[in-house]
């Protein structure tokens, strides 16, 4: 159902956001994780989700409480021809 779709999940480096990201990945949805945390732990999470669900998992560290960061993220995703088709938020 979600295979080939991409979800930007805010707050997805821990807690509820991470749970949402994992659930979407299990349904075949590629992910853009967003949140704060240790870069090594985030890399581990990306690898874990990719291995378990066979989806692409990207990471963007933008602080979505700042308008300039939202603009930067949108520009970056658009320039890489990524189309966000789902945008769950847990933040």
């Amino acid at each position: 159902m979600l295979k080939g779709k991409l979800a930007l999940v805010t707050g997805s480096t821990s807690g509820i956001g991470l749970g949402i990201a994992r659930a979407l990945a299990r349904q075949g949805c590629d992910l853009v994780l967003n949140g704060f945390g240790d870069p090594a732990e985030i890399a581990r999470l990306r690898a874990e989700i990719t291995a378990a669900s066979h989806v692409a998992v990207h990471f963007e560290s933008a602080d979505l409480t700042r308008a300039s960061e939202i603009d930067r993220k949108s520009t970056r995703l658009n320039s890489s021809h990524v189309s966000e088709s789902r945008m769950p938020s847990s933040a």
Side-chain angles (χ1 to χ4, degrees):
M1 179 171 156
L2 295 177
K3 188 157 183 74
K5 302 291 185 180
L6 177 71
L8 165 62
V9 186
T10 62
S12 55
T13 55
S14 64
I16 293 169
L18 180 56
I20 291 168
R22 286 182 170 141
L24 289 168
R26 283 192 299 270
Q27 294 182 43
C29 191
D30 293 333
L31 302 172
V32 177
L33 303 178
N34 172 260
F36 302 108
D38 176 62
E41 176 62 14
I42 293 167
R44 187 194 67 73
L45 288 172
R46 289 179 61 204
E48 174 191 304
I49 294 168
T50 298
S53 301
H54 309 289
V55 298
V57 182
H58 309 277
F59 175 75
E60 289 288 332
S61 62
D63 179 351
L64 299 181
T65 64
R66 299 176 187 268
S68 62
E69 292 284 311
I70 295 169
D71 289 342
R72 183 183 62 81
K73 176 184 271 309
S74 294
T75 300
R76 183 176 161 117
L77 290 174
N78 287 332
S79 69
S80 61
H81 306 290
V82 173
S83 172
E84 295 171 50
S85 51
R86 300 271 186 260
M87 295 184 69
S89 176
S90 65

